[in-house]
Amino acid sequence: MATQAKLEIVKAAGRIGAEVHGVKLSADLDPAVLAQIKEALQEYQVIFFKGQNHLDDASHEAFATKLGELYAHPTVPVKENSNSIFELDSEKGAKANQWHTDVTFVPNVPKYSILRGITIPSAGGDTVWANTNKAYEDLPEGLKKLADELWAIHSNEFIMQRSDIRN
């Protein structure tokens, strides 16, 4: 296992996200590099690694195990020959074209989600991230109080009724 230098981490937006440079993702990451990745996740919530074209499904999952136990989506079948990959293939009609959260309807939510783009269109196909903790912190006190007193039931019932998402 080769020791790698300190990663370059470049903030990507005002409230969330950073690009991480200087690492080739794999299951054999130096523990110090992995610690830097985890610190960046804690600070920026979403981090981006460009140019990781060497990853296939197996090496993607092998890297993911360094962040914690793999978690398969509880209501959608995993990709064939994988342990936990939920494949969104627009060629097969799959897409996530509305606001959603990743598996937050379960009692114990996964710590991380990893999105790997295989084919990136030249236009469209955008993925947008939001930091709801920061949004809450910036609310006026009256709205914070209102939000603190509201209750909701979080489920995926609506999404499971839509055949265009399930197939």
Side-chain angles (χ1 to χ4, degrees), residues 90-110:
S90 62
E91 293 289 322
K92 297 176 184 173
K95 55 189 168 194
N97 61 354
Q98 64 185 30
W99 171 255
H100 70 278
T101 56
D102 288 349
V103 196
T104 55
F105 56 87
V106 296
N108 298 307
V109 299

Side-chain angles (χ1 to χ4, degrees), residues 17-95:
E19 284 189 31
V20 179
H21 305 278
V23 65
K24 182 177 180 180
L25 298 178
S26 75
D28 298 326
L29 286 178
D30 181 277
V33 170
L34 186 59
Q36 290 175 67
I37 290 170
K38 289 180 178 181
E39 287 173 23
L41 277 167
Q42 181 68 31
E43 182 173 350
Y44 299 103
Q45 287 81 52
V46 177
I47 54 177
F48 305 95
F49 301 91
K50 292 185 176 179
Q52 302 293 321
N53 300 335
H54 63 282
L55 291 173
D56 58 13
D57 291 348
S59 57
H60 171 119
E61 287 186 316
F63 163 69
T65 63
K66 296 302 179 181
L67 298 173
E69 186 177 340
L70 296 181
Y71 185 91
H73 196 289
T75 60
V76 179
V78 299
K79 183 179 180 188
E80 190 174 333
N81 299 317
S82 76
N83 296 306
S84 63
I85 293 177
F86 171 23
E87 182 179 43
L88 280 173
D89 186 340
S90 62
E91 293 289 322
K92 297 176 184 173
K95 55 189 168 194

Side-chain angles (χ1 to χ4, degrees), residues 11 13-17 43-45 131 133-138:
K11 190 174 182 176
R15 296 180 169 269
I16 192 169
E43 182 173 350
Y44 299 103
Q45 287 81 52
N131 186 332
N133 290 330
K134 290 288 186 190
Y136 173 83
E137 289 171 8
D138 289 347

